[in-house]
């Protein structure tokens, strides 16, 4: 009897402990991996933007605020998306997003270092008029020479695969939490676009024609890609992939056109002056004739 009572007592204690754990788990899960996961996204995107400026020899601190704000915007949005599902699905989504963004940055960096211009995502997917096919050998050589760059871009993905499950797990969050992150992303994104469009030196990039390369150099790859996507939806023209040689040819053509226009204007002015001089001469001779008569 005493043994049975002791056994029942231990079973009751174990049941109470399991009940306490189950009641504590939801709260613990809700707190587990909430905002550090978002900060990790933001840190990775800032890392990507800074690497891009370093390896493409862009002035590091020129308009640096806007790439930082764009990284915060995308980080908040990705944090919201990767908080909607179970821990396993959130982990897979995080790895997928980090891999896609890192590979996209690495490809853009290699293209910029090779052709001195950026290529829009739509141009990449469409082949940009067989540009990738025509210069495939050059791209392979560029990838080999830029292997260290690609490795640095993939470093956050590798670190997350090693340490992410243990140190940055993300349980399913309440919809309100995800909506707050998404709303914060929208607010920061709108402030970023408003700040970018206010710069007079690049204000023409936000009007009828949008130049992807110039905007990306000024405001970062995230801003350039998001603006390209929005301009594509609005139907505005986007200048996407133009190689350095093509830019040189365009500049030379524009210079020739300017010179020819200047010569024509000079000739026109000279002709007008000659006509005026002839008119004055005729008028003077007419006056002389009238005086003589």
């Amino acid at each position: 009897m005493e043994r049975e009572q002791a056994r029942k007592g231990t079973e009751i204690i174990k049941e109470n402990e399991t009940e306490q754990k189950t009641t504590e788990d939801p709260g613990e899960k809700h707190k587990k991996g909430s905002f550090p996961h978002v900060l990790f996204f933001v840190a990775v995107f800032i890392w990507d933007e800074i690497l891009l400026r370093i390896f493409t020899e862009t002035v590091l601190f020129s308009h640096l605020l806007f790439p930082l704000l764009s990284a915060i915007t995308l980080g908040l949005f990705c944090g919201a998306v990767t908080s909607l599902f179970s821990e396993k699905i959130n982990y897979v989504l995080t790895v997928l997003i980090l891999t896609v963004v890192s590979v996209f940055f690495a490809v853009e960096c290699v293209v910029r270092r090779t052709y001195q211009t950026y290529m829009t995502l739509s141009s990449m997917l469409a082949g940009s008029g067989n540009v990738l096919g025509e210069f495939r050998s050059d791209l392979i050589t560029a990838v080999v020479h830029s292997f260290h760059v690609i490795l640095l871009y993939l470093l956050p993905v590798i670190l997350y695969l090693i340490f992410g499950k243990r140190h940055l797990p993300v349980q399913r969050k309440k919809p309100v939490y995800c909506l707050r992150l998404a709303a914060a992303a929208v607010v920061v994104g709108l402030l970023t676009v408003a700040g970018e469009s206010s710069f007079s030196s690049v204000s023409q990039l936000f009007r009828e024609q949008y130049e992807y390369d110039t905007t990306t150099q000024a405001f970062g790859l995230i801003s350039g890609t998001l603006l390209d996507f929005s301009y594509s939806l609005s139907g505005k023209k986007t200048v996407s992939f133009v190689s350095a040689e093509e830019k040189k040819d365009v500049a030379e053509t524009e210079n020739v056109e300017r010179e020819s226009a200047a010569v024509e204007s000079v000739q026109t002015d000279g002709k007008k002056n000659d006509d005026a001089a002839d008119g004055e001469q005729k008028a003077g001779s007419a006056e002389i004739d009238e005086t003589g008569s």
Side-chain angles (χ1 to χ4, degrees):
M1 292 293 292
E2 292 179 357
R3 290 180 180 178
E4 291 180 359
Q5 291 178 355
R7 187 182 64 184
K8 289 180 180 179
T10 54
E11 289 178 355
I12 292 171
I13 292 172
K14 289 180 179 179
E15 289 177 357
N16 292 332
E17 289 178 353
T18 54
E19 287 179 359
Q20 290 178 356
K21 288 181 179 179
T22 53
T23 54
E24 291 174 357
D25 279 346
E28 293 296 327
K29 287 183 178 181
H30 182 68
K31 295 178 182 179
K32 192 176 181 182
S34 54
F35 206 67
H37 188 73
V38 178
L39 292 179
F40 180 73
F41 271 119
V42 173
V44 171
F45 298 150
I46 292 175
W47 167 264
D48 291 338
E49 290 283 8
I50 290 176
L51 283 181
L52 187 66
R53 292 200 163 203
I54 292 173
F55 287 117
T56 58
E57 298 180 355
T58 305
V59 180
L60 182 60
F61 297 102
S62 176
H63 302 141
L64 185 60
L65 176 63
F66 298 110
L68 298 181
L69 291 175
S70 300
I72 294 173
T73 301
L74 187 59
L76 290 170
F77 179 76
C78 293
V81 172
T82 55
S83 300
L84 291 170
F85 309 100
S86 64
E87 182 177 350
K88 185 176 181 180
I89 296 177
N90 289 335
Y91 175 79
V92 173
L93 284 176
T94 300
V95 173
L96 181 63
I97 291 172
L98 291 176
T99 303
V100 170
V101 173
S102 298
V103 170
F104 179 58
F105 265 91
V107 171
E108 286 286 2
C109 185
V110 173
V111 170
R112 183 73 174 84
R113 284 158 58 93
T114 305
Y115 301 109
Q116 288 76 51
T117 188
Y118 290 103
M119 184 185 294
T120 62
L121 183 60
S122 58
S123 297
M124 288 184 183
L125 296 177
S128 185
N130 295 325
V131 169
L132 295 178
E134 293 176 3
F135 302 101
R136 185 173 298 173
S137 59
D138 294 338
L139 282 176
I140 293 174
T141 304
V143 168
V144 173
H145 291 165
S146 303
F147 181 76
H148 62 291
V149 177
I150 299 172
L151 186 62
L152 284 174
Y153 274 113
L154 294 178
L155 182 61
V157 183
I158 297 171
L159 292 176
Y160 188 79
L161 287 172
I162 297 173
F163 303 107
K165 276 190 176 181
R166 179 177 297 180
H167 298 285
L168 288 173
V170 181
Q171 301 288 347
R172 186 195 302 271
K173 299 297 184 298
K174 294 180 179 180
V176 176
Y177 173 83
C178 300
L179 287 175
R180 286 175 181 173
L181 287 180
V186 171
V187 171
V188 178
L190 291 175
L191 291 175
T192 305
V193 173
E196 291 169 348
S197 60
S198 66
F199 273 80
S200 59
S201 59
V202 289
S203 60
Q204 67 273 13
L205 301 177
F206 298 88
R207 294 177 184 173
E208 295 181 357
Q209 182 168 289
Y210 167 66
E211 188 173 347
Y212 181 73
D213 178 65
T214 306
T215 305
T216 302
Q217 289 184 59
F219 302 129
L221 184 59
I222 296 174
S223 287
T225 304
L226 293 177
L227 287 170
D228 173 61
F229 180 72
S230 63
Y231 273 65
S232 299
L233 292 178
S234 63
K236 291 186 178 180
K237 185 178 179 182
T238 301
V239 179
S240 56
F241 181 78
V242 181
S243 64
E245 295 180 356
E246 291 173 337
K247 286 183 177 180
K248 186 177 179 181
D249 294 338
V250 171
E252 290 177 354
T253 304
E254 290 178 351
N255 290 332
V256 171
E257 290 177 352
R258 290 194 195 98
E259 290 176 359
S260 61
V263 171
E264 288 178 0
S265 64
V266 170
Q267 291 176 350
T268 303
D269 293 338
K271 187 177 180 180
K272 289 180 179 178
N273 293 332
D274 293 339
D275 293 340
D278 292 339
E280 290 177 357
Q281 186 176 1
K282 290 178 180 179
S285 61
E287 290 178 359
I288 292 172
D289 295 336
E290 289 177 358
T291 304
S293 62

